[in-house]
Amino acid sequence: MRYVSTRGQAAAAGFADILLEGLAPDGGLYMPEAWPTLPARGIEAGADYKAIGLDVLPAFVGDALPAGALERALDALISGFDHPAVTPLVQLEDGLFLLELFHGPTAAFK
């Protein structure tokens, strides 16, 4: 997977190159050159956060991380959340849902 800047002035780079960058050198955000087709199997209702991450993230990371690193990173990430669903999707009414992003260690809303 290669990533390009939204401003189009920075060279394309791999995941390992952009992981800690924040912004591209031209001030743009990194986006995938092409969006991968994602597997449907871990994304269905009821799948847990880690399972979804292990299904979806490899398409964006590729072979940039050593074996097991992604799973260890997900374990570390979810250990800081105080809700078993990590970021629960709460139904407010018919057809209206809210994704709760405040259960993490910073209690921040996004």
Side-chain angles (χ1 to χ4, degrees):
M1 169 73 61
R2 305 284 293 164
Y3 292 85
V4 295
S5 171
T6 54
R7 292 194 177 167
Q9 302 303 309
F15 181 81
D17 298 320
I18 65 141
L19 178 61
L20 301 177
E21 286 295 314
L23 295 175
D26 64 359
L29 301 174
Y30 283 112
M31 300 291 291
E33 269 185 329
W35 290 97
T37 300
L38 300 175
R41 66 185 184 283
I43 304 172
E44 68 275 352
D48 72 17
Y49 196 90
K50 181 179 175 182
I52 292 170
L54 289 173
D55 274 350
V56 171
L57 292 174
F60 294 91
V61 174
D63 60 359
L65 298 176
L70 183 57
E71 185 166 5
R72 289 190 303 277
L74 284 167
D75 286 337
L77 177 129
I78 63 178
S79 71
F81 284 76
D82 63 7
H83 194 284
V86 184
T87 58
L89 184 63
V90 178
Q91 185 169 4
L92 301 177
E93 59 185 60
D94 267 357
L96 182 62
F97 295 83
L98 177 72
L99 183 62
E100 294 182 349
L101 300 176
F102 57 81
H103 293 283
T106 64
F109 64 92
K110 309 295 188 264

